[in-house]
Amino acid sequence: MSRWPGPKILITVLCVFLLPGNAWAGWLLSENGNAVGDIPVREQEADVFVSIGEMARQLGCYPKTLNDGLLVRKGSASIQVVPNAAAVWLGYEIIPLRRKAFLADQRWWMDSESALLVMEKLLVKSGEKVRLKWNGVGDGSPAPSEEEPRPVAVKPVAPKPRPSDKVVDTAENVSVRWGNHTDRIRMVLEYSGKLSYRDVPGGVEIETDGRVATVSPDPSISIKTVSSEGRWRLSAVASGWVSKSFELDSPRRLVIDFMRPSSSVAPEKPVLASPKPAPIPHKKPARKGKPLVVIDAGHGGKDPGAVANGYREKIIALQIAKRLASHVRALGMDARLTRDDDRYLKLNTRTTLANRWDADAFVSVHLNALPKGRHAKGVEIYIMALPTDKDAMALAKIENAEIVNGSNGNGGDKTDILLSILGDMQQNNKIQESTSFAEALFSSGKSGGLPMRRVAQAPFYVLRGAAMPAVLLETGFISEKSEARLLANPSYQEKLAKAMAKGIAAYLK
Ligand SMILES: [Zn+2]
């Protein structure tokens, strides 16, 4: 077992030379070994950020402002930089950034490592084979047109080294698989090289250069991924459980056994062993071709959701969810509720159930709310992705309150949470399917005479890790007196449920 040293000394050295006021103009970018030009840099919170717009221009791409963000085009490929997100879109793919990108002095700034990665991916997608590098500190003069590499300016500033330059253990090709046993859940990490990890109570913490993607197979095991100083740290912990880890050879493996507490040994309730769902004894072995829709009534128990005009979101959401389930069944599909009474379920339990039941679609039912003084009405359907706008992001923060407020044992670093939510989506290529699903619901709502507002997107934690098309249905605004009254009305609930069930049928059949 080995432990990692902190790269703090290196960062400190960099900071000394990067104090504001230094007369350096930028870093020299090179493409396949050839100098491209100087890119403006700025130091912020002990990290070096580069102008992504200038970088794009010098690489022959077209940056332009889009909504509150930046769009960079090259041929038919594009990346989209969104405010307050530690991730960018590359088409439908989401690339997590090491740090949030930000706008300052009329430029978009991205951390230097992520900028290389993002631009490389964009150029590769547009059909160019490139390798980008920071060569050293430029002198502010225009980029040379000749092919020969320019000498690196003699200045006491070095670019931030690639992670591989650091003296830490580096494991490569790390993959994770899970096994389910009566008395334990086993996690196996396969890798080459040397893995940096340590045991923690109830689990393990590993550190790698690249992000290791995995989804918890069981609500008892909490997976967290954070990035700091160019490295990724993944922790897998079952709090209150005993865990054991050991290494094996050929191929190199780290095995972690999470021992079930003896009282919870329940072989009749197998956990999901990724990637294939475990058998489900309490369900008929064959669904006889009937698609299964899992309907999740938002909030419940100690979590009332939004409260306004004398109504509570958790109560109305459950009423609508139950009606939706019976309309879904009436149309020849199967439906299951994540809760059918007023009980509290953690956000990640909801999709875990849908995965375990091998659902074909997942709908989480909610009621929207706006702060005092703001008014809106209508039905909104959300998929999980980078936020459409500020309102969508604000809504996601409200619906994510459970994790943002730290009841998951996290101190509530919203940036890290957002980053890990978005990062997890990379392995979930359901964005396009979820969008079609949302659009089917929207058009069915329209033909059903409902006040349909929009299809939008935001990073909702409750949709994270769903292995099927998943949407969050905001049935209306509880903060709007007339609409709240309508939403509590059984005949309006019926109308709503009927139209949404038709949309589900249109999508699944
Ligand atoms: Zn809600």
Side-chain angles (χ1 to χ4, degrees):
M1 187 187 306
S2 50
R3 283 153 205 279
W4 54 81
K8 288 222 164 56
I9 298 165
L10 175 75
I11 298 291
T12 312
V13 170
L14 276 173
C15 291
V16 169
F17 291 112
L18 290 173
L19 286 173
N22 271 11
W24 43 273
W27 279 7
L28 179 61
L29 177 68
S30 80
E31 182 181 7
N32 297 332
N34 301 317
V36 173
D38 288 327
I39 309 300
V41 296
R42 69 187 279 149
E43 191 252 333
Q44 187 119 342
E45 291 162 28
D47 219 329
V48 179
F49 289 76
V50 298
S51 161
I52 190 78
E54 188 53 33
M55 203 175 158
R57 251 187 298 275
Q58 298 218 18
L59 289 166
C61 308
Y62 299 93
K64 68 165 194 170
T65 305
L66 180 78
N67 300 330
D68 291 341
L70 180 77
L71 181 78
V72 179
R73 273 193 189 289
K74 174 85 182 185
S76 60
S78 70
I79 56 157
Q80 203 178 329
V81 183
V82 182
N84 287 317
V88 297
W89 279 108
L90 173 67
Y92 277 105
E93 188 191 350
I94 282 166
I95 306 170
L97 305 178
R98 217 162 53 75
R99 305 286 300 265
K100 268 190 200 178
F102 62 92
L103 182 68
D105 301 331
Q106 295 173 325
R107 288 181 198 269
W108 276 97
W109 301 93
M110 188 180 286
D111 72 84
S112 56
E113 272 176 37
S114 303
L116 286 180
L117 176 84
V118 163
M119 291 309 299
E120 240 176 49
K121 286 199 172 222
L122 174 65
L123 292 170
V124 166
K125 195 154 189 189
S126 75
E128 288 181 25
K129 259 196 177 165
V130 292
R131 181 91 182 91
L132 299 176
K133 245 182 94 177
W134 296 118
N135 260 359
V137 181
D139 55 10
S141 60
S145 52
E146 66 273 6
E147 287 294 276
E148 61 175 23
R150 60 195 281 170
V152 171
V154 188
K155 291 237 176 131
V157 188
K160 199 179 176 72
R162 310 284 300 161
S164 57
D165 295 344
K166 293 175 191 167
V167 192
V168 286
D169 293 329
T170 300
E172 285 177 342
N173 310 316
V174 184
S175 66
V176 183
R177 59 176 189 269
W178 294 89
N180 172 41
H181 306 272
T182 314
D183 59 338
R184 72 193 69 191
I185 295 170
R186 175 168 282 188
M187 180 187 194
V188 182
L189 291 115
E190 207 176 296
Y191 57 92
S192 51
K194 204 168 178 203
L195 186 67
S196 178
Y197 74 97
R198 63 187 183 116
D199 293 312
V200 295
V204 71
E205 225 175 69
I206 68 157
E207 203 185 85
T208 50
D209 281 346
R211 188 169 212 285
V212 175
T214 186
V215 173
S216 171
D218 187 280
S220 306
I221 299 178
S222 151
I223 305 280
K224 288 204 187 91
T225 317
V226 295
S227 92
S228 87
E229 293 164 348
R231 300 269 287 171
W232 289 91
R233 192 169 301 175
L234 177 139
S235 71
V237 172
S239 68
W241 291 24
V242 174
S243 71
K244 291 188 296 197
S245 69
F246 52 95
E247 292 180 61
L248 292 172
D249 271 323
S250 32
R252 298 285 301 158
R253 276 160 293 162
L254 172 67
V255 179
I256 305 105
D257 279 336
F258 299 90
M259 309 305 295
R260 297 177 189 279
S262 46
S263 58
S264 82
V265 173
E268 76 278 9
K269 277 190 179 177
V271 297
L272 189 70
S274 97
K276 269 198 167 174
I280 304 138
H282 52 270
K283 215 174 80 187
K284 282 172 210 160
R287 248 190 257 132
K288 290 182 181 167
K290 274 189 183 179
L292 172 67
V293 185
V294 168
I295 298 160
D296 170 53
H299 313 276
K302 68 180 184 187
D303 171 17
V307 178
N309 294 307
Y311 299 105
R312 282 173 298 172
E313 179 181 359
K314 65 170 185 177
I315 304 292
I316 298 180
L318 179 59
Q319 291 167 349
I320 294 172
K322 283 181 173 173
R323 293 183 195 278
L324 181 55
S326 54
H327 280 285
V328 162
R329 291 186 194 113
L331 291 173
M333 298 170 282
D334 272 343
R336 285 187 81 155
L337 293 163
T338 54
R339 67 175 179 100
D340 60 4
D341 54 14
D342 183 16
R343 77 176 63 197
Y344 175 72
L345 286 179
K346 284 178 102 176
L347 290 174
N348 63 357
T349 305
R350 300 167 188 260
T351 37
T352 303
L353 285 172
N355 288 348
R356 192 181 293 173
W357 293 336
D358 195 17
D360 297 290
F362 179 80
V363 181
S364 189
V365 179
H366 292 257
L367 280 76
N368 217 327
L370 279 174
K372 270 205 165 69
R374 292 196 54 201
H375 298 277
K377 282 187 188 181
V379 184
E380 293 187 326
I381 298 160
Y382 282 89
I383 66 155
M384 177 167 163
L386 288 176
T388 306
D389 53 30
K390 286 187 191 113
D391 281 348
M393 190 59 206
L395 178 64
K397 279 184 180 164
I398 294 169
E399 300 291 11
N400 291 346
E402 174 187 309
I403 53 160
V404 173
N405 294 338
S407 66
N408 247 14
N410 188 302
D413 184 338
K414 293 173 191 177
T415 314
D416 276 350
I417 290 166
L418 180 62
L419 178 64
S420 80
I421 292 170
L422 293 171
D424 284 350
M425 294 175 59
Q426 278 192 307
Q427 68 195 94
N428 179 352
N429 291 325
K430 296 288 163 194
I431 293 178
Q432 272 161 303
E433 286 174 53
S434 295
T435 304
S436 322
F437 183 33
E439 277 160 4
L441 294 180
F442 189 87
S443 69
S444 172
K446 265 212 129 92
S447 9
L450 295 175
M452 300 308 289
R453 204 167 129 87
R454 63 173 182 167
V455 171
Q457 55 195 46
F460 291 104
Y461 192 82
V462 68
L463 302 179
R464 188 186 82 139
M468 69 290 304
V471 298
L472 191 127
L473 172 63
E474 293 281 355
T475 51
F477 288 79
I478 198 171
S479 52
E480 200 69 35
K481 201 167 198 164
S482 59
E483 195 164 52
R485 212 177 291 141
L486 202 55
L487 286 161
N489 179 315
S491 64
Y492 183 74
Q493 289 181 354
E494 276 295 300
K495 180 177 169 176
L496 208 145
K498 200 171 178 180
M500 290 300 106
K502 275 188 183 167
I504 295 170
Y507 175 74
L508 286 179
K509 283 184 166 176

